[in-house]
Amino acid sequence: MDKFGLAGAALASFALRRPVTIGMLFFSLLIMGLGASKLLPLEKFPGIDFPELYIQVPYPDATPAEVEKMITRPVEEALATMSGIKRMRSWSNENSAEISVRFNWEENIKAKSIEAREKIDAIRHLLPDDVERVMVYKFNLSDMPVFQLRLSSDRDISTSYDLLERNLKMPIERVKGVSRVELYGVQKKQISIRLHSDRIAALHINIGQLFQTLQSANFSMTGGQFFDLDQKITVNPSGEYQSIEEIRDLYITRNVRLSDIADVKFETPEALEGRHLDQTHAIGLNIFRESGANLVDVSEAVLEQIEIARNSTAFNGINVFVMDDEANSVTTSLNDLLMSGLIGAVLSVIVLYLFLRNIATTIVVVLSVPFAICITLACMYFLGYTLNILSLMGLMLAVGMLVDNAVVVTESIFQEREKTDDVQLATRKGVGLVSLAVIAGTATTAIVFLPNIVGVKAEITVFLEHVAVAICISLFASLLIAQTLIPLLSTKLKIKIKPKKAQAHWATRKYESTLRWILANQVKTGLIALVLLASTAIPMSQLKSDEDSNGEQGRLWLNYNIQGNYSLDEVEVAVAKMEAYLYANQDEFHIKQVYSYFRPGFATSGITLNDNLPMKLSDLKQKMKKDMPLLARAEPSFQWDSGTGGGVRVTLFGQSSETLMQIADQIVPVLASIDGFTDVKADIDSQDLEMQVRIDREMAFRYGLNTSEVANIVGTALRGTNLRTFRSDLEGEINIRLLFDESLQNSLEALKSLTILRDADKNVTLDMLATISVKPRLSQIQRSSRQTALGIGANLEDELTIGEAKMRIESLMQNISLPSGYRWSLEGSFQRQDEEESIMVTNMILAVIMIYIVMAALFESLLLPTSVLTSLIFSFTGVFWAFWFTGNSMTIMGMIGMLVLMGIVVNNGIVLVDRINQLVNSGRSISEATIEGCLGRVRPILMTVLTTVLGLVPLAFGDVSIGGDGPPYSPMAIAIIGGLLFSTVTSLFLVPLAYISLLKLRRNTHNMVLHSKQLVSKAIKAN
């Protein structure tokens, strides 16, 4: 018995000597696991910090070209000096600059966030003076809202901010576990000071002095300390407004009050965006939870508050619709996983009973599952992990494997008990004989995940870490159970060992005869094996490579592609027309609800579909498109599938946005002609208009003005400016905004007549100082890697895979010549899939190397692990044939299945080779040891394989997906099942053959070396 056998026997002996200690240990672990199941935070995804920063610089009512020049480029240049940047993108809009910086996964994103703020602060003086703030965001999966509510009503609730805040927002904020609540689509009232430009001109008011007067009138400061009767009294001169009447009565000049030149009102600001739910005005509410709070508990508590609000009289006529409930999707996914796991566990128990034919023995083996899971939950809690769909996926994959060690150990113990009446001796010997096999099997299964944990980081490997932790802990827990608890229970339970039958089962006899034929006809068997291996080329040539489908199956998003920067009212007309069409065909299109969001120049509708859709999404899209109404200001199309990065996308790079638009106009119709491409369009259009005000510097100087003063007055006239807030006892902090009358925003003539300055006896108007013209402009300027860029995206029909789409685009783009300095690249799903596949292939190669290293170290041999790898090679043949028969494409989930498979399939070879090696070392001939070893281990191999396979059958043939709306588990399960079944059948015959062949090779090599030495020795003597 080797050192591993002695250690296993010693551990089993300790368990037999101290049954109460072992019992209490596992009982304690069981209690800890049950407690951890309640204490572990439940969430959809683990709180992973993505290595990406998002910088937003609000700058309202500007032009994209102005934003790009004055904000985007300086910020990009400052951030580009940071190390570890993988990709930088920016979007310059009319209201803001947005920069996305993606770092390598190895970077500390918290440190990078601080560094980015310092870099931007260093160039703050280069940014426009009226940039109020720069926001830097880090993205963490736990920062996603757990609830998205939509409120709608037949009555107008756009002015009901106080009602919603008091009756819904604030009660939800007080719920334990809720961090913050966002209320949008309804605005808090403000005090608006609307200046009348004609009155200002008539009363000779200097606008610059007016601004200064209003800014300084509302103040609060500390004036120092005053001492009276040995007491210190703080002096606080206060000039804050006490009422809206006080604002109206404010003197601007000696004889002019503010009310003489302006209307001061307490009003709701003009809406900048709108929402519809069920064709009525809607309001949005996002609810976020605290880090570490249990998702389901928070969800239930929030739903209680929502029901209270629904039942209150204040909410009469207001409908509350839960648009997205993370807890619901998580519980649905978890229930699907648990149900699949339960079905798989029941099937596994049935198989074990059919093999063991003893209820007590079956119970002993099955006990390893709940104990291992409880130990895993306890370890995850103490290690700081959470219970999420990824860790549960790991537990689900491990369920079928958790009985493997227990089966092998139990079978070995009972085989030894057939030879002796000493139960404890048989138990110790039985455990010792298979200790090396179970340790090696567990280690190789766990080691395949090591490259994903410590290797190159990417999204797929970061997520796999949480799967790996659950699998590895549970497997090592099952190993501990198999070495201690299983031997103990097998001796305590009164299990009668049936005497060995004189005649073996017909299946065993058939296996033995086939095995003897194989060993007698090694060359023929080798040729058959090579043919089987070569047959892999057939499914590989037919197999398609594709991205995992992870779009929301229950919701479609329709983009309106508004052709111009039309006003909110104009956009709403288009949205209302489309909604009327959808609701007119609600039953035909299987629509449950339609939610729309729109703002000037943009609109999108989320179409929630009924459950159990009776047709494909692609067919439903075509049906909706068929009679879709023609809209004068929009060209509706379905949103690109953008589960984790953005459909299929061709990105153009160059210097000029206008040239990129011209190139895109040529490429879009060509891409749209490709069979299987739909909704092909460029990211942006050039339909927006801008009013250019070019100030005559000489004229401005003549009147004692500079260009910035004129620009500030025009900016205030059109977009207003914020003053210091007004504090009310009832309403709290109220914004005060200085505006001009609305006629300036709606009339070009009124804007031209805007009085800039009163000079002597005449008014100096804007048209005297500037030339005003209206010209077209881009609605957005995009940049990627500090280059101007433009994306062209498309959706794919169900039949077209990512791999096929890539080949068609590449063959098409090769025939298109671009101007000098312009180029194209494939991004979106193409880039992401290439990166993930490259990493997975690399990690699988590393996993094979790690498996070999572990087996070589455990077997203390370089030759024996090579025979075990035979089962690994043939498992890939089974995977490809399984995908081909089931009609699946090779996806990342399938590659994950292959990775898990690699750690499982070598277990069969390890069990066989270890037993054969033991018999050879005991003095048996190689041939007889091989046959006896295989016959002695065929039962536990078949049991472990069938329990693993049946545990995954519900996932393979069900419709369970990650998170309820993510990639399906089926490709992963099919890969494991197909590879494991094929590998088992082949390894039962080919691993023994490989073992004998390698021993022959070693013997022949040894003889050849000896013969060579003898020849050399003779030659030396002859000389």
Side-chain angles (χ1 to χ4, degrees):
M1 192 178 290
D2 56 30
K3 56 185 177 182
F4 289 101
L6 293 173
L11 198 58
S13 178
F14 174 79
L16 297 178
R17 291 197 314 271
R18 306 295 297 269
V20 176
T21 303
I22 295 298
M24 289 300 99
L25 171 66
F26 282 99
F27 180 73
S28 302
L29 292 173
L30 183 67
I31 296 300
M32 288 171 62
L34 293 174
S37 66
K38 299 294 184 182
L39 297 174
L40 276 170
L42 182 62
E43 54 192 14
K44 185 172 184 178
F45 288 106
I48 297 173
D49 282 321
F50 273 76
E52 188 165 1
L53 293 179
Y54 181 74
I55 295 93
Q56 185 179 30
V57 186
Y59 196 60
D61 299 323
T63 65
E66 181 185 14
V67 170
E68 183 203 25
K69 179 182 178 181
M70 297 193 303
I71 299 176
T72 306
R73 285 178 181 265
V75 173
E76 278 186 349
E77 290 174 4
L79 295 175
T81 59
M82 298 172 66
S83 61
I85 293 179
K86 184 177 181 181
R87 183 181 63 237
M88 183 186 295
R89 292 178 178 174
S90 66
W91 299 266
S92 301
N93 306 298
E94 62 180 12
N95 289 314
S96 65
E98 299 167 4
I99 299 100
S100 170
V101 186
R102 184 66 179 263
F103 296 90
N104 297 320
W105 276 95
E106 294 78 14
E107 301 294 333
N108 185 330
I109 194 61
K110 293 180 180 178
K112 290 297 178 184
S113 173
I114 297 171
E115 185 181 356
R117 287 184 172 90
E118 292 174 348
K119 296 284 186 183
I120 296 172
D121 286 341
I123 55 102
R124 190 64 185 264
H125 63 283
L126 301 178
L127 303 181
D129 293 336
D130 51 346
V131 169
E132 294 183 357
R133 60 191 185 279
V134 177
M135 294 171 285
V136 180
Y137 299 101
K138 306 188 300 288
F139 178 66
N140 187 294
L141 285 176
S142 61
D143 294 335
M144 301 288 287
V146 296
F147 257 104
Q148 291 189 48
L149 300 180
R150 298 296 181 264
L151 292 81
S152 65
S153 177
D154 295 332
R155 59 189 172 95
D156 183 15
I157 56 174
S158 60
T159 60
S160 304
Y161 181 90
D162 294 333
L163 168 70
L164 299 174
E165 183 182 45
R166 187 168 51 253
N167 292 281
L168 189 61
K169 181 175 180 287
M170 293 175 66
I172 293 177
E173 285 176 333
R174 290 192 289 267
V175 170
K176 184 180 179 182
V178 172
S179 60
R180 62 189 175 95
V181 179
E182 288 181 349
L183 180 62
Y184 49 90
V186 58
Q187 300 187 71
K188 189 174 183 179
K189 287 186 175 182
Q190 68 179 18
I191 296 176
S192 299
I193 304 175
R194 290 197 173 272
L195 302 172
H196 294 283
S197 55
D198 54 344
R199 298 184 192 176
I200 289 175
L203 295 173
H204 304 170
I205 302 298
N206 186 300
I207 297 179
Q209 292 179 358
L210 171 64
F211 293 164
Q212 294 177 4
T213 301
L214 292 174
Q215 287 282 15
S216 60
N218 187 25
F219 71 92
S220 178
M221 61 179 288
T222 301
Q225 287 84 33
F226 175 76
F227 294 90
D228 183 27
L229 299 178
D230 297 329
Q231 290 188 359
K232 184 174 73 173
I233 302 172
T234 302
V235 180
N236 182 17
S238 178
E240 292 182 324
Y241 297 133
Q242 300 299 317
S243 66
I244 194 170
E245 288 76 17
E246 185 177 342
I247 300 174
R248 291 192 182 106
D249 293 337
L250 178 68
Y251 277 98
I252 304 301
T253 63
R254 184 184 296 272
N255 299 315
V256 179
R257 289 187 172 93
L258 183 59
S259 59
D260 296 330
I261 59 171
D263 293 330
V264 182
K265 297 179 180 178
F266 186 52
E267 61 182 15
T268 302
E270 182 182 359
L272 302 176
E273 57 186 15
R275 291 169 177 79
H276 283 179
L277 178 64
D278 289 330
Q279 297 180 281
T280 60
H281 181 271
I283 291 169
L285 204 72
N286 285 345
I287 301 163
F288 299 82
R289 69 182 175 92
E290 295 174 352
S291 177
N294 189 293
L295 180 62
V296 175
D297 292 343
V298 172
S299 172
E300 291 175 353
V302 169
L303 284 173
E304 289 179 8
Q305 291 298 327
I306 292 171
E307 284 302 315
I308 293 172
R310 277 175 174 163
N311 297 327
S312 67
T313 55
F315 268 66
N316 286 340
I318 298 178
N319 302 315
V320 181
F321 168 59
V322 179
M323 186 174 176
D324 279 316
D325 182 359
E326 288 288 324
N328 183 54
S329 64
V330 170
T331 51
T332 301
S333 177
L334 297 186
N335 288 335
D336 291 342
L337 264 180
L338 291 174
M339 183 56 65
S340 300
L342 186 61
I343 294 171
V346 171
L347 293 174
S348 299
V349 170
I350 293 172
V351 167
L352 287 174
Y353 178 74
L354 291 176
F355 272 94
L356 298 174
R357 298 288 182 175
N358 189 296
I359 294 177
T361 310
T362 305
I363 291 173
V364 168
V365 173
V366 171
L367 271 178
S368 60
V369 176
F371 274 99
I373 290 177
C374 285
I375 292 172
T376 305
L377 294 176
C379 291
M380 286 173 60
Y381 175 75
F382 288 112
L383 291 173
Y385 286 90
T386 62
L387 201 59
N388 51 70
I389 58 175
L390 296 174
S391 55
L392 277 168
M393 183 173 90
L395 290 174
M396 179 66 208
L397 289 172
V399 164
M401 298 184 279
L402 292 180
V403 298
D404 290 4
N405 292 332
V407 165
V408 173
V409 170
T410 304
E411 189 72 10
S412 179
I413 290 172
F414 289 161
Q415 285 180 357
E416 292 302 317
R417 286 177 63 172
E418 291 175 356
K419 302 175 185 177
T420 178
D421 292 331
D422 190 337
V423 175
Q424 295 207 0
L425 178 63
T427 300
R428 288 194 295 270
K429 188 175 180 182
V431 173
L433 287 174
V434 294
S435 287
L436 175 60
V438 294
I439 291 171
T442 304
T444 52
T445 305
I447 203 70
V448 297
F449 293 104
L450 186 62
N452 291 278
I453 296 174
V454 300
V456 177
K457 293 294 183 182
E459 287 182 22
I460 185 71
T461 57
V462 170
F463 283 121
L464 268 178
E465 177 187 343
H466 295 263
V467 179
V469 166
I471 292 178
C472 294
I473 294 176
S474 59
L475 287 179
F476 283 113
S478 73
L479 176 63
L480 177 65
I481 293 168
Q483 298 281 74
T484 54
L485 187 62
I486 297 298
L488 175 62
L489 294 177
S490 66
T491 57
K492 295 300 177 183
L493 294 176
K494 302 299 181 183
I495 302 172
K496 295 181 179 179
I497 304 299
K498 294 181 180 180
K500 195 172 183 179
K501 295 180 180 179
Q503 190 173 10
H505 193 271
W506 66 268
T508 306
R509 296 198 305 271
K510 186 68 176 175
Y511 174 58
E512 182 180 359
S513 63
T514 306
L515 194 58
R516 289 185 182 279
W517 183 90
I518 286 172
L519 297 182
N521 300 271
Q522 296 180 17
V523 176
K524 292 181 181 179
T525 306
L527 292 174
I528 294 172
L530 289 176
V531 171
L532 286 174
L533 196 60
S535 71
T536 312
I538 298 174
M540 282 185 71
S541 62
Q542 302 294 322
L543 206 61
K544 300 174 182 177
S545 178
D546 200 8
E547 186 189 32
D548 288 302
S549 173
N550 58 343
E552 294 181 272
Q553 299 299 308
R555 183 173 294 140
L556 293 174
W557 286 98
L558 183 70
N559 284 347
Y560 285 79
N561 304 316
I562 304 297
Q563 302 300 297
N565 198 14
Y566 289 100
S567 66
L568 189 69
D569 293 336
E570 291 292 332
V571 174
E572 188 171 13
V573 170
V575 171
K577 188 174 181 180
M578 180 61 69
E579 288 178 340
Y581 162 71
L582 294 173
Y583 274 96
N585 300 276
Q586 186 172 3
D587 295 333
E588 184 181 355
F589 295 157
H590 311 285
I591 294 174
K592 182 187 295 184
Q593 208 140 32
V594 178
Y595 165 75
S596 300
Y597 167 77
F598 51 91
R599 62 175 188 265
F602 175 83
T604 183
S605 288
I607 305 169
T608 305
L609 305 174
N610 294 324
D611 299 330
N612 303 318
L613 198 66
M615 60 195 305
K616 291 182 178 179
L617 279 180
S618 57
D619 295 336
L620 181 58
K621 288 180 181 179
Q622 292 298 329
K623 196 173 184 180
M624 289 182 179
K625 286 180 182 179
K626 185 179 179 182
D627 298 313
M628 196 170 279
L630 297 175
L631 303 176
R633 296 182 171 87
E635 294 179 359
S637 66
F638 286 100
Q639 181 175 300
W640 301 331
D641 296 330
S642 55
T644 55
V648 296
R649 186 188 296 264
V650 177
T651 303
L652 304 174
F653 296 90
Q655 299 300 320
S656 168
S657 297
E658 289 77 9
T659 305
L660 291 174
M661 283 297 305
Q662 293 172 5
I663 298 172
D665 290 340
Q666 298 172 5
I667 294 177
V668 166
V670 180
L671 289 178
S673 65
I674 298 178
D675 187 31
F677 278 45
T678 62
D679 304 317
V680 183
K681 68 178 185 68
D683 272 345
I684 58 175
D685 56 61
S686 57
Q687 300 296 316
D688 288 1
L689 301 174
E690 74 175 21
M691 182 184 296
Q692 295 182 350
V693 181
R694 296 192 176 275
I695 301 169
D696 187 327
R697 295 179 183 273
E698 186 177 343
M699 289 295 295
F701 179 75
R702 186 178 300 174
Y703 290 108
L705 296 169
N706 57 46
T707 54
S708 63
E709 289 175 333
V710 177
N712 287 334
I713 293 172
V714 173
T716 302
L718 295 179
R719 68 187 180 198
T721 185
N722 288 326
L723 302 176
R724 192 171 183 270
T725 58
F726 168 67
R727 193 170 297 165
S728 169
D729 294 336
L730 295 177
E731 307 292 340
E733 295 284 341
I734 301 174
N735 290 332
I736 303 178
R737 191 162 180 81
L738 179 63
L739 305 154
F740 274 73
D741 51 333
E742 295 179 355
S743 62
L744 287 173
Q745 296 177 332
N746 301 322
S747 170
L748 179 58
E749 292 303 319
L751 181 61
K752 289 181 179 180
S753 302
L754 173 65
T755 300
I756 304 298
L757 179 69
R758 177 73 179 180
D759 180 58
D761 295 329
K762 67 175 182 180
N763 293 322
V764 179
T765 57
L766 181 61
D767 58 355
M768 296 170 61
L769 300 173
T771 303
I772 301 175
S773 60
V774 178
K775 293 184 178 181
R777 67 162 172 83
L778 289 171
S779 60
Q780 185 185 75
I781 298 176
Q782 297 182 8
R783 287 167 60 82
S784 181
S785 301
R786 302 176 69 188
Q787 267 189 302
T788 305
L790 178 61
I792 301 173
N795 281 325
L796 302 181
E797 299 288 356
D798 289 343
E799 295 77 15
L800 190 65
T801 66
I802 291 290
E804 292 172 329
K806 182 178 181 180
M807 289 188 293
R808 294 182 186 183
I809 292 175
E810 286 177 337
S811 62
L812 180 75
M813 294 299 294
Q814 287 173 358
N815 300 320
I816 297 176
S817 59
L818 300 180
S820 177
Y822 291 81
R823 62 183 179 88
W824 63 273
S825 72
L826 294 176
E827 294 189 355
S829 297
F830 301 122
Q831 187 179 27
R832 185 173 61 254
Q833 186 184 20
D834 288 344
E835 289 177 357
E836 291 178 347
E837 286 184 355
S838 174
I839 290 172
M840 289 301 295
V841 169
T842 303
N843 287 348
M844 282 195 281
I845 294 172
L846 290 174
V848 173
I849 297 171
M850 297 297 295
I851 288 172
Y852 182 85
I853 291 172
V854 168
M855 289 192 297
L858 293 175
F859 282 122
E860 200 61 38
S861 168
L862 297 176
L863 194 65
L864 296 180
T866 309
S867 62
V868 175
L869 290 180
T870 306
S871 57
L872 183 60
I873 297 170
F874 281 92
S875 68
F876 292 150
T877 303
V879 171
F880 287 112
W881 277 109
F883 276 130
W884 188 73
F885 276 120
T886 57
N888 281 278
S889 301
M890 178 57 72
T891 64
I892 294 299
M893 288 298 288
M895 296 184 80
I896 293 174
M898 291 176 68
L899 185 68
V900 176
L901 175 68
M902 290 168 63
I904 301 174
V905 293
V906 293
N907 292 354
N908 299 335
I910 289 171
V911 170
L912 286 175
V913 170
D914 180 53
R915 183 55 181 161
I916 295 171
N917 215 33
Q918 288 174 0
L919 294 172
V920 170
N921 291 336
S922 67
R924 308 285 178 89
S925 67
I926 293 176
S927 178
E928 290 304 316
T930 302
I931 293 172
E932 184 180 342
C934 291
L935 292 176
R937 290 291 181 258
V938 67
R939 262 171 54 95
I941 287 175
L942 291 177
M943 278 192 282
T944 56
V945 167
L946 288 175
T947 53
T948 303
V949 167
L950 291 175
L952 293 172
V953 163
L955 284 183
F957 299 100
D959 57 355
V960 184
S961 59
I962 296 179
D965 55 5
Y969 291 105
S970 54
M972 178 183 64
I974 289 171
I976 297 174
I977 290 173
L980 190 56
L981 288 177
F982 193 84
S983 171
T984 301
V985 173
T986 53
S987 62
L988 284 173
F989 301 105
L990 297 182
V991 167
L993 177 62
Y995 180 87
I996 291 178
S997 300
L998 288 168
L999 288 180
K1000 283 184 177 179
L1001 178 64
R1002 183 172 66 179
R1003 184 189 64 191
N1004 293 336
T1005 303
H1006 179 69
N1007 291 337
M1008 184 180 68
V1009 171
L1010 286 177
H1011 183 64
S1012 300
K1013 286 181 177 179
Q1014 291 173 358
L1015 290 176
V1016 170
S1017 177
K1018 288 179 180 179
I1020 293 173
K1021 288 179 180 180
N1023 293 330

